[in-house]
Amino acid sequence: DLIVAVEIIEHLENPWKFLRECLRVLRDDGQLIITSPNVTTLMSRLTFLLTGALPYFREESFVGCYHVTPVFPWMVDRACRTAGGKIQEMRFSRVDWPRRNDVPHRLSRVRSRALSLLPKNSLTGEITAYRIRKDSARERVTPGLHYK
């Protein structure tokens, strides 16, 4: 079993429900692969500090392509914990960095070369890819239950 959702989850108003439904329909040990803009990069953090908005989630992104929900790794982990899933791996890629209006563009050769020297990790990778495995035996966190 495999479900692949490439650059979809950030367009959804309820990504938690989407993740839970994907894990519900997967067989045990099935894999879910999702990708989303990486909102934990140094550039994202600096942009948020200075403007109060994340790259790819500015007004232009909302109106232009309906980016509505920034997806943080902790959110994916917690949603998985409520549905019997576990993040097996996170990888990062760098394709195009956003412009001011959040439209991807080709990089200049100098800037492209400079960025290629950086490692692709949570602080520098533009896109996050999650590989999640369904594990029915994993203890689940019950949403809304604060005390046992």
Side-chain angles (χ1 to χ4, degrees):
D1 251 334
L2 174 67
I3 296 174
V4 179
V6 177
E7 300 301 303
I8 292 173
I9 196 165
E10 69 274 10
H11 298 273
L12 304 176
E13 293 178 2
N14 192 337
W16 290 65
K17 185 174 181 176
F18 173 77
L19 287 169
R20 287 185 191 127
E21 183 62 13
C22 287
L23 288 165
R24 185 188 72 77
V25 301
L26 278 173
R27 293 184 188 138
D28 207 24
D29 286 327
Q31 302 284 317
L32 168 61
I33 297 172
I34 61 171
T35 67
S36 182
N38 181 5
V39 293
T40 64
T41 66
L42 289 173
M43 186 60 72
S44 291
R45 294 170 191 227
L46 181 60
T47 301
F48 185 80
L49 178 67
L50 296 175
T51 69
L54 291 165
Y56 290 116
F57 295 92
R58 298 179 182 106
E59 179 64 17
E60 296 88 349
S61 293
F62 174 71
V63 173
C65 61
Y66 203 63
H67 278 183
V68 293
T69 308
V71 177
F72 291 87
W74 62 263
M75 189 268 317
V76 175
D77 177 63
R78 290 178 186 176
C80 287
R81 288 170 43 206
T82 68
K86 181 169 178 50
I87 298 173
Q88 297 293 298
E89 182 179 18
M90 290 172 51
R91 289 193 181 188
F92 304 91
S93 67
R94 190 176 307 114
V95 182
D96 294 313
W97 287 64
R99 288 185 186 168
R100 172 170 288 228
N101 63 359
D102 289 336
V103 176
H105 65 287
R106 291 194 158 270
L107 300 173
S108 72
R109 285 186 181 202
V110 172
R111 186 171 179 201
S112 180
R113 178 70 179 133
L115 288 173
S116 73
L117 298 174
L118 295 173
K120 293 176 188 164
N121 59 35
S122 64
L123 296 177
T124 62
E126 182 189 2
I127 303 296
T128 306
Y130 299 87
R131 185 172 57 84
I132 299 163
R133 183 178 65 83
K134 181 176 180 177
D135 180 3
S136 296
R138 184 175 191 205
E139 184 177 347
R140 296 180 186 199
V141 174
T142 304
L145 180 64
H146 300 286
Y147 304 101
K148 287 189 175 188

